[in-house]
Amino acid sequence: EADIYQTPRYLVIGTGKKITLECSQTMGHDKMYWYQQDPGMELHLIHYSYGVNSTEKGDLSSESTVSRIRTEHFPLTLESARPSHTSQYLCASSRGDNQPQHFGDGTRLSIL
Amino acid sequence: RKEVEQDPGPFNVPEGATVAFNCTYSNSASQSFFWYRQDCRKEPKLLMSVYSSGNEDGRFTAQLNRASQYISLLIRDSKLSDSATYLCVVRIQGAQKLVFGQGTRLTINP
């Protein structure tokens, strides 16, 4: 099993709150990714990082932001949550470009 | 046109049957290929990488056809536990990310 962890697993919170979704990996992977996925729908890449102090926006526009201050940590932040942010957020990491990505368990986010 | 296309299914097959599905990719410079499986409300998990010469892992066989730009997954002697969504994943040369297909939903019936 890959060593990549996401917290919280589930979060139900009111509109307007600031939220940070945590993602950590202990494999020393340089590449990390955030995906958004609605039930029964495909994965959408929203952010990725090549390494420390590197972040890029993905294919799907997102109001969230990310940071990469340490190799092992890639948190995602929503400054003011809205119901449209309700979704599952999946974090992944990989050793290199040609290597497969390993996913965390995901965070199911519900904004009331 | 999507970079990676899969038949979304659903495929419903009886236990013990052989099932195969394809995935097509649009960029001929695609370099790396993978099959993932995703169970309902779970994260995607790597099933197998796909190599140019084709490869097998137990009941699963993956093949790559570069000329026609598709990859395939064959499942023999299907089990109930094979029920899942199968995601085709491609990396394009020079790209820093993988491209995921929309997935093919498979249900194995007793």
Side-chain angles (χ1 to χ4, degrees):
Chain A
E1 292 293 321
D3 296 320
I4 179 164
Y5 309 100
Q6 289 186 244
T7 57
R9 285 293 307 277
Y10 304 93
L11 179 61
V12 181
I13 200 165
T15 299
K17 302 291 186 185
K18 180 179 178 179
I19 299 166
T20 296
L21 308 184
E22 302 288 349
C23 176
S24 295
Q25 49 94 6
T26 58
M27 298 171 282
H29 288 172
D30 284 329
K31 317 279 186 184
M32 294 190 75
Y33 312 83
W34 275 103
Y35 293 86
Q36 186 173 341
Q37 187 180 34
D38 293 323
M41 303 300 284
E42 57 197 288
L43 286 161
H44 292 287
L45 181 68
I46 51 175
H47 299 283
Y48 60 103
S49 167
Y50 309 144
V52 171
N53 293 326
S54 146
T55 61
E56 300 286 340
K57 290 198 176 292
D59 305 319
L60 180 69
S61 175
S62 174
E63 294 168 343
S64 59
T65 59
V66 291
S67 62
R68 190 86 183 277
I69 299 172
R70 303 197 316 265
T71 298
E72 62 271 21
H73 196 211
F74 190 40
L76 180 145
T77 298
L78 280 162
E79 289 293 332
S80 179
R82 294 208 301 271
S84 61
H85 297 141
T86 295
S87 189
Q88 177 170 241
Y89 293 83
L90 289 155
C91 180
S93 72
S94 68
R95 188 169 301 282
D97 291 341
N98 284 324
Q99 303 302 311
Q101 293 177 10
H102 301 280
F103 285 81
D105 291 338
T107 293
R108 288 197 180 275
L109 178 64
S110 292
I111 310 300
L112 305 177
Chain B
R1 183 184 171 190
K2 288 187 176 181
E3 291 179 286
V4 178
E5 294 208 60
Q6 295 181 252
D7 183 340
F11 286 69
N12 289 282
V13 302
E15 191 175 9
T18 295
V19 60
F21 26 83
N22 288 347
C23 160
T24 59
Y25 58 94
S26 60
N27 193 316
S28 60
S30 299
Q31 263 192 329
S32 305
F33 308 89
F34 309 95
W35 283 103
Y36 279 71
R37 70 170 277 167
Q38 186 173 25
D39 294 297
C40 189
R41 302 175 73 83
K42 297 283 192 179
E43 78 278 15
K45 291 187 177 179
L46 178 67
L47 180 65
M48 58 197 304
S49 301
V50 185
Y51 303 120
S52 297
S53 54
N55 49 298
E56 191 174 303
D57 183 1
R59 298 181 292 107
F60 298 84
T61 300
Q63 292 198 311
L64 167 64
N65 185 317
R66 284 193 183 273
S68 301
Q69 294 182 204
Y70 74 84
I71 66 172
S72 63
L73 179 67
L74 178 81
I75 306 174
R76 289 183 301 278
D77 187 25
S78 53
K79 311 290 184 192
L80 297 177
S81 57
D82 294 333
S83 297
T85 295
Y86 290 83
L87 302 169
C88 170
V89 184
V90 172
R91 188 182 82 81
I92 301 163
Q93 187 178 21
Q96 295 278 357
K97 55 186 174 70
L98 300 179
V99 179
F100 285 77
Q102 66 185 110
T104 296
R105 187 179 296 180
L106 173 67
T107 301
I108 307 299
N109 301 308

